[in-house]
Amino acid sequence: MEFPFDLISAEDYARQRASYVPLTDALRKLIDVGIHTAVDEATVQEALEHLEAASKLLEGEQRHATSTLRHADTGRPLAWANPAVGLRNAIAPPMIIEHEADGTCWSEFTLGPAYEGPPGWVHGGICALLLDHILGEVASEGLNLPKFTGTISVKYLRGTHLGPVRAEAFVERSEGFKTFARGYLRDAEGITVEAEGVFIMPAWARDAG
């Protein structure tokens, strides 16, 4: 069954982005400082009171719809809750993905304390998540086609340092409803993780076509 979606106007999109992106950035910073804070118990309690008050403010009105928002002008889905690219999800880096004319895509972003596995290194599961997303992005032509991960293989060449990283992906070939994509993650010292995956158009999208 095709996923339902609601359209959002360009004006409303710009308004919401201007309002909510700074909020998400503040939440992202809060996660980082919360991991490493060493303040005393009284300060922790004071901060907790402020956080509880902020939560009550934000709970005042909630959007509970399960439909996907799409930009009315471009038709692109707004994956604001996505854990890799969501501009309203504080656990997302986020990845701002750039698309090249040849069909490849890439993103440069920073992975800080929230993504740590071994001390000073990115958790391997985070690397897999990010590569799964960017491979899916390139396989679906920028999320314009419904393509879901069928299989994905991740090869860890070495550890990925916390800090600035770059992810890249490209389509290797397509066979019917399957798209084969490859990509990698690199830090300042070079490629750290490679991935290849098969992305499949679901049955409802095939029928619609």
Side-chain angles (χ1 to χ4, degrees):
M1 179 181 295
E2 185 173 1
F3 297 123
F5 64 88
D6 295 326
L7 292 178
I8 182 172
S9 68
E11 181 181 4
D12 199 27
Y13 167 77
R15 180 188 63 79
Q16 289 197 36
R17 183 183 174 94
S19 178
Y20 290 123
V21 168
L23 173 65
T24 307
D25 286 341
L27 292 172
R28 219 171 259 125
K29 181 179 180 181
L30 183 63
I31 291 172
D32 284 353
V33 299
I35 290 172
H36 292 302
T37 188
V39 297
D40 59 32
E41 293 181 7
T43 305
V44 169
Q45 186 58 42
E46 182 182 358
L48 180 59
E49 292 172 359
H50 286 294
L51 290 173
E52 290 174 342
S55 293
K56 288 181 179 179
L57 284 174
L58 296 174
E59 288 171 350
E61 185 175 348
Q62 296 277 294
R63 182 179 184 273
H64 298 290
T66 57
S67 57
T68 299
L69 285 176
R70 288 184 182 272
H71 196 288
D73 291 351
T74 66
R76 281 179 55 83
L78 306 180
W80 279 346
N82 186 285
V85 298
L87 295 181
R88 290 186 60 180
N89 189 339
I91 70 170
M95 301 171 74
I96 307 300
I97 298 180
E98 305 291 341
H99 294 265
E100 300 295 343
D102 62 0
T104 61
C105 62
W106 59 273
S107 181
E108 294 181 344
F109 48 96
T110 298
L111 297 175
Y115 308 100
E116 188 175 61
W121 303 90
V122 179
H123 191 291
I126 297 297
C127 298
L129 164 69
L130 300 173
L131 284 168
D132 179 48
H133 184 87
I134 198 167
L135 264 64
E137 176 100 11
V138 77
S140 63
E141 298 180 15
L143 303 183
N144 287 306
L145 296 175
K147 293 283 183 75
F148 301 124
T149 308
T151 61
I152 188 167
S153 175
V154 179
K155 182 178 181 181
Y156 297 89
L157 305 180
R158 61 175 178 81
T160 303
H161 291 287
L162 288 175
V165 297
R166 178 183 174 97
E168 295 191 20
F170 61 93
V171 170
E172 196 168 44
R173 68 185 190 279
S174 295
E175 296 178 1
F177 299 113
K178 296 181 179 180
T179 299
F180 297 77
R182 296 176 64 90
Y184 57 84
L185 187 70
R186 67 163 66 229
D187 61 14
E189 296 177 7
I191 295 175
T192 62
V193 188
E194 297 175 341
E196 57 182 21
V198 181
F199 296 82
I200 303 171
M201 180 178 289
W204 56 260
R206 305 174 203 175
D207 296 340

